[in-house]
């Protein structure tokens, strides 16, 4: 592929030179947004070949995560996270229903914003992907061996989890900052008592071990809106930075009332210091109620437990824990460069990008260069911490990522463009338009110590005329830029699912060889698994009927069942006995008030069916599994509630 | 120089005994939907695959055309082959210790015969699996048999089946030839 790419670009170049010699008009091509190269060959991945990068995009209001290949922009998978997904029985089968439990009960939806790859030594390691639920505050872990969600933790005493789940250098913690300050703990108070009663909580979540995700501690902060975050790296490892807006602490007409202050704050948290305070017992135990849901890959089953109490640190009682860095106007993104030296604040209502220096921040703390304090939080002098400002010429900077070669790339929502600038001189070196109104951007590894600085994906909020129209609702549009040269080049448009707010990318090699092919049957410890065809059976327990079924190309065992009655709760525990890659089987039952099951090789899933009428009900395999897939079906006889049809089951009799 | 035939015979015995460590034969099936192929390895005492689940997957594929399940436990050869290999190794050791020219030749002839018998037996099994198909097979193609090639490549419906000696088989063959070399290099004068 590489070779043919080279030949193609050589031909393109040769053609251009030839044409250019004859006619100066040929140069016109260089000024179009897609540059002078052969963009198609740059994004062309020939049939059967693999993409160079995985890209994980959040689904926003779809509640899910989508997996794309770069540079092709091909969609590979939608991973269900916070929203029920009938295609995969996520939140419909008995095994995954507990994943969507919260302190408010079962919630079939959330707003998924920021995917974040786990890191080792500040570099994405391909173990997990985390993502936040913004509405009912939650964070989730996706296992990148199976590309399945395996853990969801609710965040207590929080209102909207937006500044999340950004990781520390070794995924010691992921964080969660409240977007809406709320009474802490929740109580019934007048909304206009905001200034007295509303607080923010910044949560640090221990996430380095699957199955034991927990809120390690929260820091109680003034009632601002906390927007985004990033942790330090290298020299700034041990610190996490949160942007805030609404430092006016207004509670109504925020578009005006939260936009008055000239500067808001970036909160700098010394989380190593926080660990010391926790170890010394210098915390308050606060009442809380929050769910922790874990999908155990060995039992193929999720459990949900409710947690109570959370450890809270109060800044006024914990000197050195938190400082405020004044930053112009309602900063959105806070991004730390690959060396960990610079903290870039994108003031979304301003034209400029503010760059703070970590070294200056430490010096300012040591020399106590404070401009007063708020609720025990010292406010550092702006001039003492700021290192530079990027005079962008654009408007509405949102988010910055890095290419690892000394350059930074910032999206500008209002002026709808990506601006490339040089770290150190703060000068703008290039800019390209986005179609239209870009939100966040992503460079694979672009928020880590070692970016793969080859491509940039811009996630646009407005689509308009980019694709064939599909009625009032349009797919959001992403755009791929080649950033390997001096000038950014637009090389591809591709539609996305839901509303991607943020994305992560990683070299395919880090993940692809570890991707699981099957669930080994000998590791299947599902309590209702049937590991051999001769163990299939049907058991009745009062009005509960448990059908222990297996499937393998191309039959269910048993496929004839009698003795089920109207009013029964019928649990179909189906184990897929296949041990071959890409051989799922599905199961669906006529009239069942739920989704199908889609069972991976070696997995067990359970469908709950409550038959309402007498009759003989067909069921069948929904995933085209083999030449005899269409024959993969069976019948369940449903008798009257008071009938005495004997419980029986068979296959091939 | 004098010890050379002995050395060849020692190698022949060692190359026979490695059959306990490496598979003798392999059959690989490749089809469009199995781009990496499925490979089955035949050992002196078991059948394995390139993955833990190869046999199950081959059996699933075979059942569409009514082939019998391959169940290693029900194949008697896999029970006694190891004793045969042990016996010929011991005989080879005996020849080695005695260091007689015609013992080397006898061993060569014996083992070559046993090897040929083994291959004939393998052919019979392949014939049986390929021809004795279930009456109720879902897919029946008149005149079609599914016997894999003894050695080489052959199309069986959508599968390209390749049958070849595996590591153990090649090494064993080399050992056999070395026993012949031991006979041929035996010095004419040094008769004891
Ligand atoms: Cu099926």
């Amino acid at each position: 592929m590489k070779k043919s790419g080279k030949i193609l670009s050589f031909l393109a170049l040769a053609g251009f030179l030839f044409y250019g010699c004859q006619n100066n008009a040929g140069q016109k091509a260089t000024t179009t947004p897609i540059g002078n190269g052969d963009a198609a060959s740059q994004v062309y991945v020939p049939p059967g070949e693999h993409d160079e990068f995985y890209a994980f995009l959040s689904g926003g209001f779809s509640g899910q995560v989508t997996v794309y290949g770069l540079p092709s922009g091909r969609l590979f998978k939608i991973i269900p996270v916070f929203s029920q997904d009938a295609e995969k029985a996520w939140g419909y089968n008995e095994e995954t229903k507990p994943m969507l439990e919260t302190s408010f009960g079962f919630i079939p939806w959330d707003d998924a914003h920021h995917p974040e790859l786990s890191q080792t030594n500040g570099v994405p390691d391909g173990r997990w992907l985390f993502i936040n639920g913004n509405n009912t505050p939650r964070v989730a872990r996706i296992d990148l061996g199976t590309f399945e969600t395996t853990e969801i933790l609710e965040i207590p005493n929080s209102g909207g989890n937006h500044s999340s789940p950004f990781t520390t250098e070794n995924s010691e913690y992921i964080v969660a900052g409240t977007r809406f300050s709320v009474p802490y703990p929740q109580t019934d108070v007048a909304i206009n008592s905001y200034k007295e009663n509303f607080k923010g909580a910044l949560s640090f979540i221990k996430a380095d071990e699957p199955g034991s995700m927990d809120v390690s501690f929260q820091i109680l902060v003034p009632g601002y809106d906390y927007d985004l975050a990033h942790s330090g790296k290298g020299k700034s490892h041990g610190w996490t930075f949160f942007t805030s807006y609404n430092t006016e602490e207004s509670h109504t007409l925020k578009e005006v009332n939260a936009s008055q202050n000239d500067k808001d704050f970036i909160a700098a948290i010394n989380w190593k210091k926080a660990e010391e305070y926790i170890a010394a017992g210098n915390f308050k135990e606060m009442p809380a109620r929050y769910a922790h849901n874990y999908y155990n890959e060995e039992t193929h089953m999720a459990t949900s437990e409710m947690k109570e109490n959370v450890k809270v640190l109060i800044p006024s009682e914990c000197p050195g824990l938190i400082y405020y860095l004044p930053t112009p106007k309602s900063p959105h993104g806070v991004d730390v460069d690959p060396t960990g030296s610079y903290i870039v604040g994108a003031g979304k209502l301003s034209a400029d990008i503010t760059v703070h220096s970590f070294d200056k921040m430490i010096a300012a703390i040591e020399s106590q260069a404070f401009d007063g304090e708020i609720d025990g939080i010292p406010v550092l002098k702006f001039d003492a911490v700021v290192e530079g400002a990027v005079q962008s010429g654009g408007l509405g900077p949102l988010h910055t990522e890095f290419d690892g070669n000394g350059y930074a790339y910032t999206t500008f929502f209002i002026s709808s463009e990506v601006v490339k600038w040089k770290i150190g001189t703060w000068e703008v070196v290039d800019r390209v338009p986005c179609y239209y109104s870009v939100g966040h951007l992503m460079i694979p590894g672009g928020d880590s110590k070692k970016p793969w600085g080859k491509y940039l994906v811009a996630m646009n909020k407005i689509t308009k005329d980019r694709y064939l129209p599909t009625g009032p609702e349009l797919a959001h549009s992403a755009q791929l830029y080649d950033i390997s040269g001096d000038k950014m080049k637009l090389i591809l448009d591709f539609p996305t699912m839901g509303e991607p707010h943020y994305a992560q990318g990683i070299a395919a090699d880090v993940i692809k060889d570890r991707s699981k092919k099957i669930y080994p049957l000998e590791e299947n410890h599902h309590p209702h698994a049937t590991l051999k065809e001769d163990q299939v059976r049907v058991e009745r327990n009062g009005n509960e009927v448990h059908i222990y079924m297996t499937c393998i190309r191309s039959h269910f065992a048993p496929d004839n069942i009698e003795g089920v009655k109207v009013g029964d709760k019928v649990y179909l525990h189906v184990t897929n006995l296949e041990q071959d890659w890409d051989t799922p089987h599905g199961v669906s039952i006529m009239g069942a008030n739920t989704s199908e099951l889609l069972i991976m090789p070696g997995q067990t899933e359970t469908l709950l069916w409550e038959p309402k009428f007498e009759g003989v009900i067909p069921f069948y395999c929904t995933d085209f599994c083999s030449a005899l897939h269409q024959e993969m079906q069976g019948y369940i006889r449903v008798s009257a509630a008071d009938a005495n049809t004997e419980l029986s089951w068979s296959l091939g009799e | 120089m004098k010890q050379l035939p002995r050395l060849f015979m020692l190698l022949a015995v060692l190359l026979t005994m490695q059959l306990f460590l490496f598979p003798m034969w392999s059959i690989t099936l490749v089809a469009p939907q199995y781009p990496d192929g499925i490979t089955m390895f035949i050992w002196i005492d078991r059948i394995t695959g390139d993955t833990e689940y190869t046999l199950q997957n081959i059996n699933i594929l075979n059942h569409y055309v009514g082939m019998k399940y391959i169940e290693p436990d029900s194949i008697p050869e896999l029970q006694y082959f190891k004793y045969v290999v042990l016996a010929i190794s011991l005989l080879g050791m005996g020849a080695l210790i005695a260091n007689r020219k015609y013992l080397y030749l006898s061993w060569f002839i014996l083992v070559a015969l046993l090897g040929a018998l083994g291959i004939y037996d393998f052919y019979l099994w392949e014939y049986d699996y390929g021809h004795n198909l279930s009456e109720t097979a879902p897919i029946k193609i008149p005149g079609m048999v599914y016997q894999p090639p003894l050695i080489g490549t052959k199309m069986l419906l959508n599968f390209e089946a390749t049958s070849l000696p595996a590591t153990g088989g090649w090494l064993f063959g080399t050992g056999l030839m070395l026993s012949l070399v031991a006979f041929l290099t035996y010095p004419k004068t040094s008769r004891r």
Side-chain angles (χ1 to χ4, degrees):
Chain A
M1 178 211 160
K2 265 191 191 134
K3 202 171 180 185
S4 62
K6 263 186 198 153
I7 291 169
L8 278 173
S9 48
F10 174 74
L11 285 176
L13 185 68
F16 171 75
L17 287 175
F18 181 64
Y19 187 63
C21 289
Q22 287 188 324
N23 182 348
N24 277 341
Q27 281 180 354
K28 223 177 173 181
T30 56
T31 60
T32 69
I34 58 166
N36 63 356
D38 180 357
S41 74
Q42 274 185 276
V43 300
Y44 183 66
V45 177
E49 292 201 11
H50 287 171
D51 279 282
E52 197 178 344
F53 295 96
Y54 282 100
F56 299 93
L57 276 64
S58 68
F61 42 68
S62 88
Q64 320 294 45
V65 165
T66 49
V67 186
Y68 288 85
L70 296 181
S72 72
R74 294 181 295 187
L75 173 66
F76 299 144
K77 186 173 185 179
I78 298 175
I79 304 172
V81 186
F82 296 115
S83 297
Q84 271 180 305
D85 182 351
E87 176 193 327
K88 300 183 175 75
W90 179 253
Y92 287 95
N93 64 23
E94 296 307 296
E95 285 75 12
T96 58
K97 277 181 189 171
M99 291 300 283
L100 302 181
E101 282 298 331
T102 72
S103 60
F104 302 88
F106 180 86
I107 298 186
W109 173 88
D110 213 308
D111 185 15
H113 274 234
H114 312 118
E116 176 84 339
L117 287 161
S118 59
Q119 296 187 358
T120 301
N121 295 322
V123 180
D125 56 21
R127 285 184 294 168
W128 311 305
L129 183 78
F130 300 103
I131 187 160
N132 62 320
N134 189 46
N135 180 51
T136 304
R138 285 179 273 181
V139 291
R141 180 203 308 275
I142 294 163
D143 183 310
L144 293 180
T146 57
F147 285 62
E148 304 272 355
T149 305
T150 55
E151 200 163 9
I152 294 181
L153 179 75
E154 194 180 350
I155 312 299
N157 297 332
S158 224
N161 177 31
H162 197 268
S163 40
S164 179
F166 306 95
T167 183
T168 55
E169 211 173 79
N170 295 299
S171 294
E172 293 95 341
Y173 297 102
I174 54 173
V175 301
T178 194
R179 168 172 165 196
F180 310 99
S181 283
V182 288
Y184 191 116
Q186 277 286 9
T187 48
D188 172 16
V189 295
I191 298 170
N192 66 13
S193 71
Y194 190 106
K195 283 189 178 158
E196 305 98 84
N197 288 324
F198 287 44
K199 287 280 176 197
L202 305 179
S203 305
F204 282 72
I205 298 148
K206 195 177 168 294
D208 53 356
E209 224 172 82
S212 58
M213 222 190 217
D214 198 9
V215 177
S216 283
F217 56 89
Q218 292 189 316
I219 301 170
L220 204 60
V221 286
Y224 309 153
D225 290 26
Y226 294 86
D227 207 9
L228 282 171
H230 264 107
S231 288
K233 41 176 96 82
K235 66 165 90 168
S236 52
H237 178 57
W239 290 79
T240 299
F241 306 94
F242 290 85
T243 44
S244 72
Y245 61 103
N246 191 28
T247 51
E248 297 86 350
E249 297 188 76
S250 79
H251 56 84
T252 183
L253 194 61
K254 287 205 182 182
E255 63 172 310
V256 174
N257 293 331
S259 307
Q260 295 307 304
N261 286 352
D262 198 36
K263 293 191 180 69
D264 298 280
F265 298 123
I266 289 174
I269 313 284
N270 184 342
W271 57 260
K272 293 225 162 138
K273 198 90 182 165
E275 286 177 337
E276 288 169 23
Y277 282 122
I278 294 289
N282 198 4
F283 57 84
K284 282 201 165 57
E285 196 83 51
M286 297 289 259
R289 219 179 118 69
Y290 58 111
H292 173 237
N293 310 328
Y294 177 55
Y295 180 87
N296 183 322
E297 224 171 72
E298 295 210 334
T299 60
H300 298 233
M301 190 169 280
T303 46
S304 178
E305 55 164 342
M306 207 57 71
K307 291 177 179 267
E308 276 159 19
N309 293 324
V310 63
K311 295 182 174 111
V312 175
L313 296 171
I314 314 288
S316 60
E317 298 166 10
C318 302
L321 174 66
I322 169 170
Y323 300 91
Y324 276 151
L325 286 70
T327 306
K329 294 221 51 166
S330 302
H332 190 56
V334 52
D335 301 289
V336 181
D337 83 298
T339 67
S341 307
Y342 300 113
I343 302 136
V344 179
K348 65 177 187 274
L349 303 180
S350 79
D352 299 342
I353 304 160
T354 304
V355 184
H356 298 299
S357 153
F358 179 73
D359 292 337
K360 283 192 172 178
M361 182 189 91
I362 296 297
I365 291 168
E366 277 165 9
S367 65
Q368 306 211 327
F370 301 150
D371 235 349
E373 60 171 53
I374 300 167
D375 293 358
I377 302 171
V379 179
L380 296 168
K381 284 204 163 81
F382 179 70
D383 292 336
V385 291
V386 77
E387 175 78 32
V390 181
Q391 315 278 321
S392 68
L395 196 59
L398 278 190
H399 173 215
T400 303
E401 293 218 337
F402 306 89
D403 66 5
N405 300 314
Y407 293 97
Y409 302 73
T410 304
T411 48
F412 283 72
F413 178 79
I414 300 171
S415 52
S416 194
E417 59 184 335
V418 175
V419 169
K420 176 181 179 182
W421 48 276
K422 192 166 170 54
I423 299 170
T425 68
W426 325 120
E427 63 183 329
V428 171
V429 296
D430 191 24
R431 63 200 317 140
V432 284
C434 295
Y435 307 94
Y436 306 95
S437 298
V438 61
H440 285 262
L441 55 75
M442 181 273 276
I443 294 169
D447 60 352
S448 76
K449 273 183 172 172
K450 283 192 188 144
W452 289 272
K454 188 169 178 185
Y455 299 112
L456 182 155
V457 177
M459 284 159 275
N460 303 310
K461 298 296 187 188
I462 295 173
T463 308
K464 301 275 190 193
D465 59 353
R466 296 304 288 179
Y467 308 122
L468 287 174
T470 54
E473 200 204 354
L474 304 166
H476 282 220
S477 168
Q479 285 171 321
L480 184 72
Y481 295 86
D482 172 8
I483 57 165
S484 58
D486 288 342
K487 294 277 171 198
M488 295 179 273
K489 278 191 294 179
L490 175 62
I491 53 177
L492 184 70
D493 254 11
F494 62 97
T496 57
M497 302 291 113
E499 183 190 352
H501 285 261
Y502 198 87
Q504 292 272 277
I506 186 168
D509 295 340
V510 183
I511 291 181
K512 68 176 181 187
D513 295 332
R514 295 188 359 230
S515 187
K516 274 200 185 168
K517 295 187 166 170
I518 58 162
Y519 294 93
L521 274 172
E522 64 268 20
E523 289 169 21
N524 179 337
H525 299 298
H526 189 296
H528 299 291
T530 311
L531 299 179
K532 288 201 167 118
E533 197 167 299
D534 58 14
Q535 293 164 3
V536 300
R537 66 204 182 276
V538 182
E539 288 170 3
R540 175 179 285 283
N541 179 13
N543 73 337
E544 270 187 16
V545 175
H546 291 268
I547 299 174
Y548 295 87
M549 188 181 273
T550 62
C551 53
I552 195 159
R553 281 164 288 172
S554 306
H555 61 270
F556 293 103
D559 67 357
N560 280 201
I561 296 160
E562 300 198 351
V564 167
K565 294 174 192 172
V566 171
D568 280 346
K569 278 169 100 89
V570 181
Y571 291 89
L572 240 92
H573 309 287
V574 188
T575 302
N576 181 350
L577 294 180
E578 305 279 357
Q579 295 285 270
D580 197 1
W581 193 22
D582 200 12
T583 53
H585 291 287
V587 190
S588 70
I589 297 183
M590 186 176 93
N593 298 96
T594 185
S595 77
E596 61 153 359
L597 299 177
L598 186 65
I599 315 159
M600 296 304 125
Q603 203 175 26
T604 303
E605 289 189 21
T606 301
L607 183 150
L608 170 59
W609 168 51
E610 294 171 83
K612 298 200 170 52
F613 311 106
E614 295 161 40
V616 179
I617 303 296
F619 62 94
Y620 71 98
C621 173
T622 51
D623 188 311
F624 206 109
C625 54
S626 65
L628 297 162
H629 159 74
Q630 209 66 352
E631 285 71 15
M632 192 163 170
Q633 57 186 51
Y635 289 107
I636 304 178
R637 174 179 168 189
V638 180
S639 303
D642 56 359
N644 45 20
T645 318
E646 226 176 281
L647 206 59
S648 68
W649 60 92
S650 62
L651 168 71
E653 279 165 25
Chain B
M1 191 61 197
K2 252 181 155 181
Q3 293 298 324
L4 205 56
R6 229 180 189 167
L7 191 66
F8 283 130
M9 193 59 207
L10 178 66
L11 281 171
V13 171
L14 289 176
L15 289 176
T16 303
M17 290 179 71
Q18 58 75 34
L19 281 174
F20 286 95
L21 303 177
F22 299 104
M24 296 185 289
W25 213 268
S26 71
I27 297 178
T28 301
L29 301 173
V30 178
Q33 59 273 52
Y34 286 92
D36 298 335
I38 316 175
T39 301
M40 193 167 76
F41 294 108
I42 301 159
W43 301 61
I44 51 172
D45 57 351
R46 66 202 132 118
I47 296 175
T48 63
D50 51 347
T51 76
E52 221 176 311
Y53 312 105
T54 299
L55 217 50
Q56 169 171 330
N57 293 331
I58 287 181
N59 282 335
I60 287 173
L61 296 173
N62 287 353
H63 98 278
Y64 289 114
V65 293
M67 290 171 75
K68 274 186 284 198
Y69 274 51
I70 302 169
E71 286 175 49
D73 289 349
S74 69
I75 298 174
E77 283 84 339
L78 297 178
Q79 311 304 318
Y80 68 71
F81 258 24
K82 52 183 179 243
Y83 300 112
V84 175
V85 172
L86 196 65
I88 59 177
S89 302
L90 287 174
L91 286 175
M93 288 289 252
L96 177 76
I97 291 161
N99 196 19
R100 295 274 171 82
K101 182 175 185 180
Y102 285 92
L103 280 181
Y104 291 159
L105 182 65
S106 312
W107 192 84
F108 167 76
I109 292 167
L110 172 73
V111 175
L113 275 173
L114 284 173
L117 262 177
I119 288 174
Y120 179 62
D121 183 61
F122 177 53
Y123 172 83
L124 291 181
W125 276 103
E126 283 193 334
Y127 185 91
D128 182 49
Y129 276 111
H131 286 78
N132 291 329
L133 305 173
S134 164
E135 283 297 300
T136 59
I139 297 174
K140 279 189 245 179
I141 295 172
M144 185 69 197
V145 294
Y146 302 96
Q147 181 177 356
L150 190 59
I151 187 158
T153 295
K154 183 177 162 192
M155 285 305 290
L156 301 174
L157 289 188
N158 58 326
F159 279 94
E160 185 194 80
T162 302
S163 174
L164 286 174
T167 316
W170 289 117
L171 292 177
F172 172 68
T174 310
L176 183 61
M177 293 325 289
L178 284 177
S179 71
L180 188 62
V181 174
F183 164 72
L184 294 174
T185 53
Y186 201 92
K188 280 185 182 141
T189 48
S190 78
R191 179 177 288 216
R192 263 173 38 179

